[in-house]
């Protein structure tokens, strides 16, 4: 049956007469039925990827691409005057993640299925997910993201497990999302939930009664944990997730007739950061119920689990008071204490290795490292820093466990779906193979001196910029010029990512323009990203940027040369619009702080040039493209680490020594700013920059301005710039998550 007839089976009227929403709904049913006929991937050994976040993005377009049906359906719809692009817009984006860690999990599921490896994801079905970001008075506010009220690809299953929380038993429901590989079989993402969740308990903003666990357990991802109740709720969520995961894994193993003593031969469990760490004691507990000793069970679990570290920021390494765990999961306490005791016996003289510290706090990452077979960082530099700095003591005792797995992204979403035009050009130039073997993109270098190809690349970028400009006008009511340079920084808001440095550059440029020093071409600076609701300084940075946008965009002299856009509620959908339209990719974290970054890879693949520090995977991008095709600035990670160790960075010295810095920083609390901004927030920011600046903004600021000036000038040498762009695309194959997953499999999972 052709796709038109298939679609009509789910539509009760002719295509012309249906509206976009009706067609969208029919498409979902059609895709589900097509997937149902595909084979579930099975193999001897299976991997389970456990994660608090899965930032999967909209499903319709991605599934159509992976099923090989996108182009055909697009044509059919076009024949009836319908646009697949508009129909895809009817889907609400699943709000199941926050940032890089969650998007990585989604890319990994795509690659695991595409490589026909048997592997499922396990997480939670948050009803409102991460909050939705809205702006009022130039400030961020949070509201619930009601993504579940449209038709979704989720399927309710009959699978349910009893989970004991604070002496009460809750019965879970398992929802499944199909994960269909590109030209491959099907895996699943299992999302656990409760039937008693009550969305109506959410009151002002995203606040709710944190005590009513049966009503609130899966309402939000990362609920506010600034008080005791909030922290307990996080533990409730984490245990609910991993107990379901452990029960599901053991159930599947029993159904396959495997002996649980051989668990490690049949199962690999990847622990995505510390949020799912309680799966270790939970699995041990369940195996002990099968008549194993704790020693036996712990050895099996330690051979089955593997831990990925995604951050070197101390505050992200979770430590829970033992007392909280006693309240929520008393059944795990004897096991955690038993594991701690085993560690104490093995390393009696090294307190840094203990699981329970002297303040009776349980260190999740420490438990992971003792009771996993593998510990990996997510970029070469990050893994080196873990080995030599943050996790040095563990590296000393377990050198064989440490390994690097440089992150990757799925090219199906990040070019085939998000940048059709570029994907088509590439296929026309080098054939289809790159879609399955991304290293084939290197063949694009054949066209390095081909003016026709370079022109077409340039036109595609321009077209993407036109589309983004239309979107920005419609959504943000700001008119931007596609002939200007699009300079983009989109990512979670965090001081270490240094959006504030980019904001200082805006002030620097604004003052120059006011002084009659005009740039040779207008520049549009686009930001996007959410600040954690309780992260005061990150919210202040958003406020600063929006206030600057107000001043700059409304100044007739300046706005001819400079525009500022803060894209509200940055998510996968917006990422897919902004990344293909970007000229300059801002990756300016303080060296040593960004574990990897994956946005950097998406921009590179879409032909943007990176302006960044020697941090995370930027280092590997530089090694691939060479210094001519990237702009690296700032102090190295070694220099930064040395400054921390010797306590020798003092922002004030930079502020006082340089007139330019002084002037720019003081603009934050100038009369102009205070007229439109919140005095307390702006003053707090100013004070922080001058007197603390923990992430050393002022250390790199002058060099940043200098190098950015070079970038803007180099953009004018059009043929040179487009060649840089071509080299970036051609060299991006290494960052396919297919490569990353093959590495995980070869070194950690060993599926056959
Ligand atoms: C920790 C404690 C308590 C509550 C929340 C958290 C928490 C929540 C989310 C800690 C970390 C996260 C998210 C981290 C994250 O997204 N890390 C990013 O992971 C990417 C994939 O490996 C990397 O590319 C990024 O460099 C890293 O920042």
């Amino acid at each position: 049956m052709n796709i038109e007839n298939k679609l009509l089976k789910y539509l009760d009227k002719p295509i012309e007469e249906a509206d976009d929403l009706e067609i969208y709904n029919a498409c979902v049913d059609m895709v589900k039925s097509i997937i149902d006929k595909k084979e579930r991937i099975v193999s001897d050994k299976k991997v389970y990827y456990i994660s608090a976040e899965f930032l999967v993005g909209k499903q319709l377009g991605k599934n159509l691409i992976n099923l090989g049906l996108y182009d055909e359906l697009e044509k059919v719809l076009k024949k009836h005057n319908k646009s697949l692009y508009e129909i895809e817009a009817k889907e609400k984006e699943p709000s199941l993640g926050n940032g890089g860690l969650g998007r990585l999990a989604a890319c990994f599921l795509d690659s695991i299925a595409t490589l026909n490896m048997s592997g499922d994801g396990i997480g939670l079905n948050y009803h409102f997910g991460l909050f939705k970001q809205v702006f009022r008075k130039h400030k961020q506010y949070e509201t619930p993201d009601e993504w579940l009220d449209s038709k979704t690809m989720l399927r309710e299953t009959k699978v349910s497990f009893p989970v004991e929380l604070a002496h009460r038993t809750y019965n879970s429901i398992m929802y499944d999302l199909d994960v269909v590989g590109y030209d491959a079989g099907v895996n699943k993402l299992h999302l656990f939930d409760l039937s008693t969740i009550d969305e109506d308990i959410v009151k002002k903003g995203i606040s709710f009664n944190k005590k009513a666990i049966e009503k609130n357990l899966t309402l939000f991802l990362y609920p506010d944990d600034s008080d005791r109740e909030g922290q307990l709720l996080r533990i409730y969520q984490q245990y609910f997730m991993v107990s379901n995961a452990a029960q599901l894994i053991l159930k599947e193993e029993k159904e396959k007739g495997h002996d649980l003593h051989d668990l490690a031969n049949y199962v690999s469990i990847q622990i995505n950061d510390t949020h799912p760490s309680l799966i270790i004691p939970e699995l041990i507990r369940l195996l002990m119920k099968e008549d194993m000793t704790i020693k036996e069970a712990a050895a099996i679990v330690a051979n089955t689990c593997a831990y990925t570290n995604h951050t070197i920021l101390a505050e992200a390494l979770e430590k829970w008071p033992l007392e909280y765990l006693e309240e929520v999961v008393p059944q795990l306490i004897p096991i955690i204490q038993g594991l701690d005791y085993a560690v104490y016996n093995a390393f009696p003289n090294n307190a840094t290795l203990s699981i329970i510290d002297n303040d009776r706090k349980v260190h999740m990452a420490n438990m992971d490292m003792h009771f996993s077979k593998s510990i990996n960082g997510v970029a070469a530099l990050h893994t080196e820093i873990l080995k030599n700095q943050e996790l040095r003591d563990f590296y000393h005792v377990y050198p064989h466990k440490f390994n690097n797995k440089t992150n990757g992204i799925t090219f199906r979403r990040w070019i085939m779906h998000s940048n059709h035009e570029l994907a088509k050009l590439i296929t026309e130039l080098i054939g289809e193979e790159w879609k399955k073997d991304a290293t084939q993109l290197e063949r694009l270098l054949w066209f390095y001196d081909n003016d026709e190809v370079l022109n077409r690349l340039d036109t595609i970028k321009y077209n993407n910029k036109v589309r983004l400009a239309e979107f920005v006008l419609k959504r943000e009511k700001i008119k931007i010029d596609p002939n200007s340079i699009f300079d983009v920084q989109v990512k979670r808001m965090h001081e270490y990512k240094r959006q504030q440095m980019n904001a200082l550059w805006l002030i620097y440029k604004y003052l120059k323009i006011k002084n009659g020093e005009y740039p040779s071409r207008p520049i549009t600076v686009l930001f996007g990203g959410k600040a954690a609701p309780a992260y005061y300084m990150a919210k202040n940075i958003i406020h600063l940027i929006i206030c600057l946008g107000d001043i700059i965009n409304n100044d007739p002299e300046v706005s001819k040369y400079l525009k500022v856009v803060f894209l509200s509620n940055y998510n996968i959908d917006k990422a897919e619009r902004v990344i293909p339209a970007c000229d300059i990719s801002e990756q300016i974290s303080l060296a040593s702080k960004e574990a990897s970054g994956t946005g950097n890879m998406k921009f590179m693949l879409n032909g943007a040039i990176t302006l960044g520090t020697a941090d995370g995977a930027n280092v590997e991008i530089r090694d691939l493209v060479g210094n001519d095709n990237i702009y690296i600035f700032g102090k190295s990670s070694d220099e930064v680490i040395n400054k921390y160790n010797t306590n020798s960075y003092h922002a004030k010295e930079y502020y006082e020594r340089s007139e330019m810095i002084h002037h720019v920083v003081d603009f934050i609390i100038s009369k102009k700013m205070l007229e439109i901004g919140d005095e307390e927030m702006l003053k707090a920011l100013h004070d922080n920059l001058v007197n603390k600046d923990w992430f050393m903004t002022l250390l790199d600021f002058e060099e940043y301005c200098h190098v950015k000036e070079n970038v803007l000038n180099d953009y004018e040498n059009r043929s040179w710039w487009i060649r840089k762009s071509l080299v970036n695309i051609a060299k991006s194959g290494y960052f396919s998550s297919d490569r990353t997953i093959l590495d995980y499999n070869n070194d950690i999972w060993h599926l056959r």
Side-chain angles (χ1 to χ4, degrees):
M1 203 192 294
N2 70 22
I3 194 140
E4 182 159 4
N5 289 331
K6 272 189 191 152
L7 180 63
L8 285 169
K9 261 178 62 180
Y10 299 95
L11 201 60
D12 54 6
K13 52 179 91 163
I15 296 176
E16 289 82 3
E17 289 170 26
D19 66 24
D20 284 355
L21 184 62
E22 289 167 324
I23 300 177
Y24 164 73
N25 289 335
C27 283
V28 172
D29 291 331
M30 176 186 75
V31 165
K32 278 183 176 166
S33 83
I34 294 171
I35 291 178
D36 281 339
K37 294 191 189 82
K38 293 204 74 112
E39 225 152 279
R40 183 91 158 88
I41 302 168
V42 283
S43 63
D44 242 20
K45 192 172 182 186
K46 178 168 177 179
V47 60
Y48 294 88
Y49 199 87
I50 324 279
S51 178
E53 299 183 33
F54 286 93
L55 202 41
V56 292
K58 293 188 187 189
Q59 294 293 289
L60 177 60
K62 170 232 162 191
N63 281 328
L64 288 168
I65 291 214
N66 283 8
L67 291 166
L69 298 173
Y70 194 97
D71 292 345
E72 203 183 331
L73 182 63
E74 189 180 32
K75 263 194 219 124
V76 165
L77 291 168
K78 203 166 167 194
K79 197 175 75 190
H80 298 282
N81 267 321
K82 301 286 176 188
S83 139
L84 181 51
Y85 190 73
E86 300 292 333
I87 289 160
E88 283 180 67
K90 293 292 161 196
E91 178 174 356
K92 290 197 177 165
E93 176 171 324
S95 182
L96 300 173
N98 172 30
L101 163 157
R103 182 55 229 178
L104 186 76
C107 285
F108 281 5
L109 293 186
D110 186 78
S111 285
I112 292 169
T114 296
L115 293 164
N116 270 315
M117 291 163 50
S118 174
D120 290 348
I122 303 180
L124 295 178
N125 188 42
Y126 309 102
H127 293 221
F128 295 137
L130 192 71
F131 66 89
K132 187 164 167 184
Q133 178 189 53
V134 292
F135 296 131
R136 260 179 283 136
K137 292 194 181 159
H138 299 357
K139 292 178 197 169
Q140 170 182 297
Y141 289 88
E142 299 88 25
T143 64
D145 190 346
E146 292 167 6
W147 72 278
L148 274 170
D149 69 0
S150 71
K151 194 176 182 92
T152 72
M153 284 290 299
L154 279 182
R155 305 173 193 248
E156 188 173 336
T157 72
K158 295 202 169 64
V159 177
S160 168
F161 299 106
V163 178
E164 205 173 303
L165 298 164
H167 300 291
R168 257 192 69 182
T169 302
Y170 297 77
N171 291 305
S172 65
I173 319 176
M174 185 171 90
Y175 290 91
D176 277 358
L177 198 63
D178 298 311
V179 180
V180 52
Y182 177 63
D183 190 18
V186 184
N187 284 321
K188 300 275 177 186
L189 169 55
H190 305 293
L191 298 171
F192 287 92
D193 204 348
L194 284 178
S195 63
T196 50
I197 299 302
D198 182 0
E199 292 160 12
D200 293 333
I201 67 170
V202 178
K203 300 290 180 242
K204 191 168 168 278
I206 51 169
S207 61
F208 61 91
N209 173 4
K210 289 184 192 150
K211 286 193 179 158
I213 296 304
E214 76 282 0
K215 294 183 180 178
N216 70 24
L217 186 67
T218 52
L219 275 180
F220 289 100
L221 166 64
Y222 303 136
D224 165 50
D225 68 347
S226 57
D227 55 12
R228 185 175 193 275
E229 261 61 55
Q231 293 197 16
L232 290 174
L233 176 52
R234 291 257 180 115
I235 300 174
Y236 277 106
Q237 287 189 326
Q238 293 187 351
Y239 181 69
F240 182 72
M241 171 169 78
V242 302
S243 178
N244 278 300
Q247 293 184 68
L248 176 67
I249 293 167
L250 296 186
K251 171 176 160 310
E252 292 193 346
E253 281 307 285
K254 285 181 182 165
E255 283 168 1
K256 288 177 186 164
H258 295 158
D259 183 337
L260 294 182
H261 290 90
D262 301 329
L263 189 69
N265 294 339
Y266 295 107
V267 170
S268 225
I269 297 173
Q270 196 68 38
I271 299 176
N272 199 25
D273 222 289
T274 55
H275 320 134
S277 301
L278 289 174
I279 194 160
I280 290 172
E282 176 65 358
L283 264 177
I284 294 173
R285 186 181 75 88
L286 295 175
L287 290 176
M288 286 169 72
K289 284 193 171 175
E290 310 272 335
D291 276 344
M292 292 188 201
T293 63
I294 185 166
K295 207 170 157 192
E296 219 178 342
I300 293 169
V301 170
N303 260 321
T304 305
C305 291
Y307 159 66
T308 303
N309 175 291
H310 295 266
T311 182
I312 33 204
L313 297 185
E315 66 262 30
L317 288 178
E318 293 181 296
K319 301 184 264 286
W320 296 118
L322 192 61
E323 176 226 334
Y324 289 8
L325 294 171
E326 273 163 354
E327 182 169 336
V328 180
V329 285
Q331 64 272 37
L332 291 187
I333 298 299
I335 292 159
I336 294 173
Q337 284 174 330
L339 299 180
D340 182 57
Y341 186 68
V343 168
Y344 176 79
N345 276 328
F347 312 104
N349 302 318
N350 196 338
T352 56
L353 299 178
S354 62
I355 295 177
I356 306 174
D357 70 15
N358 289 335
D359 298 329
R360 289 178 42 97
K361 287 206 169 126
V362 181
H363 290 236
M364 295 301 173
N366 294 11
M367 188 167 65
D368 291 327
M369 291 186 280
H370 289 295
F371 295 95
S372 292
K373 59 178 170 174
S374 158
I375 305 161
N376 77 281
V378 290
L381 175 67
H382 172 228
T383 302
E384 286 310 303
I385 293 174
L386 292 180
K387 292 199 294 199
N388 302 325
Q389 313 280 337
E390 302 313 300
L391 308 180
R392 221 163 80 194
D393 293 347
F394 284 92
Y395 181 55
H396 193 73
V397 295
Y398 302 125
H400 56 285
K401 291 192 187 185
F402 279 73
N403 63 96
N404 175 246
K405 295 287 164 285
T406 297
N407 283 166
I409 58 174
T410 167
F411 285 24
R412 269 75 63 184
R413 184 175 289 274
W414 295 109
I415 181 166
M416 288 167 65
H417 186 259
S418 62
N419 200 342
H420 297 260
E421 256 193 286
L422 181 55
K424 284 203 178 107
L425 174 64
I426 293 172
T427 302
E428 186 191 319
L429 295 174
I430 64 170
E432 299 270 356
E433 282 161 63
W434 67 276
K435 296 178 181 172
K436 290 217 158 161
D437 171 10
T439 59
Q440 296 293 325
L441 288 175
E442 286 227 22
R443 294 186 179 181
L444 288 172
L445 294 176
W446 296 338
F447 303 93
Y448 190 79
D449 289 315
N450 184 320
D451 287 337
E452 192 215 316
V453 167
L454 296 177
N455 279 333
R456 286 176 70 190
L457 264 185
D458 195 26
T459 308
I460 290 171
K461 181 65 79 183
Y462 179 77
N463 293 342
N464 291 332
K465 288 165 78 172
V466 170
R467 275 189 281 271
L468 180 65
E470 286 165 1
F471 182 79
V472 167
L473 184 61
K474 194 164 135 202
R475 294 297 188 87
E476 310 293 342
K477 310 279 179 268
I478 301 174
K479 193 166 178 314
I480 59 176
D481 175 3
N483 283 306
S484 65
I485 299 174
F486 282 17
D487 174 70
V488 182
Q489 188 173 20
V490 283
K491 47 184 76 257
R492 291 180 292 133
M493 297 301 296
H494 202 294
E495 288 165 278
Y496 85 77
K497 296 178 184 281
R498 298 198 296 191
Q499 284 97 347
Q500 68 275 24
M501 188 157 79
N502 199 348
L504 290 180
W505 180 85
L506 285 174
I507 299 175
Y508 163 84
K509 203 72 200 168
Y510 167 82
L511 294 172
K512 282 223 177 265
I513 295 171
K514 277 301 200 190
N515 196 33
E517 296 172 54
Y518 302 134
S520 46
R521 184 192 293 262
I523 306 148
T524 303
V525 184
L526 295 117
F527 293 87
K530 296 179 186 177
Y535 191 171
Y536 181 59
M537 216 36 89
K539 287 183 151 177
N540 293 348
I541 296 170
I542 293 181
H543 184 59
L544 170 67
I545 293 167
I546 299 180
C547 289
L548 287 171
D550 187 347
I551 292 176
I552 290 168
N553 298 344
N554 292 311
D555 183 319
E557 183 190 3
V558 180
S559 62
K560 273 190 282 190
Y561 300 101
L562 188 60
K563 282 265 171 81
V564 184
V565 177
F566 202 113
L567 290 168
S568 56
N569 200 44
Y570 180 63
N571 60 10
I572 303 300
D573 180 55
K574 296 196 180 175
E576 287 191 56
R577 295 169 191 272
V578 71
I579 292 170
C582 170
D583 296 308
I584 303 173
S585 156
E586 298 266 356
Q587 308 299 337
I588 59 179
S589 54
L590 174 63
S592 80
K593 294 295 177 189
E594 188 69 89
S596 162
T598 46
N600 46 4
M601 303 167 186
K602 296 163 197 164
F603 284 103
M604 174 192 192
L605 167 62
N606 283 273
I609 314 299
T610 305
L611 166 57
T613 48
D615 200 14
N618 297 352
V619 175
E620 287 158 81
I621 296 179
R622 176 182 62 188
D623 292 346
L624 284 161
V625 301
N627 278 319
D628 288 345
N629 299 298
I630 190 168
Y631 297 85
I632 297 290
F633 71 94
K635 292 280 182 279
S636 70
S637 59
D638 284 342
E639 289 168 306
V640 169
I641 290 167
N642 185 263
K643 290 214 179 286
Y644 280 118
N645 289 342
T646 55
N647 227 326
S648 60
Y649 174 69
H650 305 289
K652 198 155 210 164
E653 290 171 8
Y654 290 79
Y655 173 74
E656 277 165 358
R657 230 186 283 143
S658 155
E659 206 177 313
M660 185 277 267
I661 292 182
H662 203 111
H663 202 46
V664 166
V665 170
D666 280 356
F667 187 83
I668 296 173
I669 49 167
S670 62
K671 192 160 151 275
K672 242 199 171 75
M673 286 291 288
L674 295 180
E675 264 165 26
I676 56 165
D678 180 313
E679 181 167 340
E680 197 182 304
M681 291 173 89
L682 295 173
K683 281 201 163 143
L685 247 179
H686 181 269
D687 181 64
N688 189 285
L689 271 174
V690 175
N691 295 311
K692 185 171 171 213
D693 193 19
W694 183 248
F695 295 103
M696 307 185 187
T697 317
L698 304 187
L699 175 70
D700 287 337
F701 181 58
E702 280 181 311
E703 196 184 338
Y704 175 59
C705 292
H706 180 74
V707 174
K708 197 157 167 170
E709 216 48 51
N710 292 342
V711 180
L712 297 172
N713 287 332
D714 287 356
Y715 185 88
E716 295 312 314
N717 191 338
R718 296 303 302 140
S719 66
W720 201 36
W721 183 273
I722 302 162
R723 282 197 177 91
K724 290 181 200 288
S725 177
L726 179 83
V727 173
N728 272 272
I729 301 167
K731 294 287 187 177
S732 65
Y734 178 73
F735 298 112
S736 163
S737 48
D738 297 351
R739 185 271 311 154
T740 313
I741 288 302
L742 287 171
D743 287 350
Y744 272 89
N745 194 44
N746 283 333
D747 299 344
I748 305 171
W749 303 336
H750 308 298
L751 313 197
R752 292 161 291 266

